[in-house]
Amino acid sequence: MLSGNDGAEVTEPPIELVRVAAECVRRNGVRGFRLSEVATSAGVSRGTVYNAFGDKQAAINAGLAYLCSAFIDGLAAAVTPKRTLRSQVGEAAALIYEHATTPQALVPPLRTDSIIATLLEHHGDQLCRSWAAFWSTLVAEAQRRGEVDPGLDTMHAGDWIVRVLLSLEILPFSVAGFSSADDARTRVGDLMLDGLTPRR
């Protein structure tokens, strides 16, 4: 349980309340977030929510961190089974295309007007670092397969992949000119991996 104000170390908020806070951020955005709504949605008192998080900003941060992890985990579940970095990047691009056009593409559904834009605005550094680290591991595996250049800095390559993929969420797809998720899957995978292939 939560500790009191007796100098004991404060424990993390219960995951059930974090999930509710994340849903409130998803539904209302940061500016519309209210601790009273978290309490009502969770079926607890407002005092319980205050004791769990400490203040409104801490609750928002916890919700954003949860959404950040859910975003990465949702993409990872679709990406990691693929056998090549090209197909992994392509699959991520296709899922982001579907997410931008269909709110239920990720579980939990991560969209208000653009929850990814909200994450980038308020939690962007952590999102980019965490996701770049995820891609860095996949780039290292691709290096061992000989799929990409062995001299690549894997974290730098992961950061590049992240920034291209996140731009697909933010920019209208009419600008990118993709006609479907399959089109995004093929073209993004091809274009990005062409820049990472072994140099001769």
Side-chain angles (χ1 to χ4, degrees), residues 87-100:
S87 61
Q88 289 165 342
V89 170
E91 191 63 28
L95 189 54
I96 287 175
Y97 179 94
E98 291 172 348
H99 171 236

Side-chain angles (χ1 to χ4, degrees), residues 9-196:
E9 186 176 335
V10 177
T11 61
E12 293 294 318
I15 189 61
E16 295 81 6
L17 285 181
V18 173
R19 288 194 189 104
V20 174
E23 172 58 23
C24 290
V25 172
R26 186 199 68 78
R27 187 166 53 236
N28 301 317
V30 170
R31 291 171 185 81
F33 183 89
R34 299 287 181 272
L35 285 176
S36 57
E37 183 179 359
V38 176
T40 299
S41 298
V44 299
S45 71
R46 190 171 177 181
T48 297
V49 175
Y50 270 107
N51 288 337
F53 293 108
D55 58 32
K56 177 180 174 180
Q57 189 58 53
I60 290 171
N61 290 343
L64 288 170
Y66 183 87
L67 290 174
C68 177
S69 294
F71 173 75
I72 293 171
D73 291 347
L75 286 170
V79 162
T80 51
K82 302 299 178 181
R83 292 182 172 271
T84 67
L85 185 62
R86 185 181 299 266
S87 61
Q88 289 165 342
V89 170
E91 191 63 28
L95 189 54
I96 287 175
Y97 179 94
E98 291 172 348
H99 171 236
T101 55
T102 308
Q104 301 301 321
L106 292 177
V107 179
L110 299 178
R111 195 168 184 82
T112 50
D113 289 335
S114 177
I115 192 61
I116 306 306
T118 298
L119 283 173
L120 286 173
E121 180 182 356
H122 299 281
H123 204 69
D125 287 346
Q126 183 59 43
L127 173 62
C128 290
R129 280 196 303 269
S130 297
W131 204 20
F134 164 77
W135 282 108
S136 176
T137 300
L138 298 183
V139 171
E141 292 172 359
Q143 284 178 322
R144 289 192 287 272
R145 293 191 298 267
E147 186 185 357
V148 300
D149 193 277
L152 284 174
D153 180 311
T154 60
M155 195 65 181
H156 180 75
D159 183 66
W160 183 53
I161 291 169
V162 165
R163 292 178 190 280
V164 171
L165 291 173
L166 288 177
S167 72
L168 299 179
E169 172 69 28
I170 296 168
L171 293 173
F173 276 95
S174 58
V175 174
F178 299 126
S179 59
S180 66
D182 284 339
D183 187 31
R185 178 182 291 110
T186 300
R187 289 171 58 193
V188 172
D190 288 348
L191 288 171
M192 290 187 67
L193 266 293
D194 284 348
L196 298 175

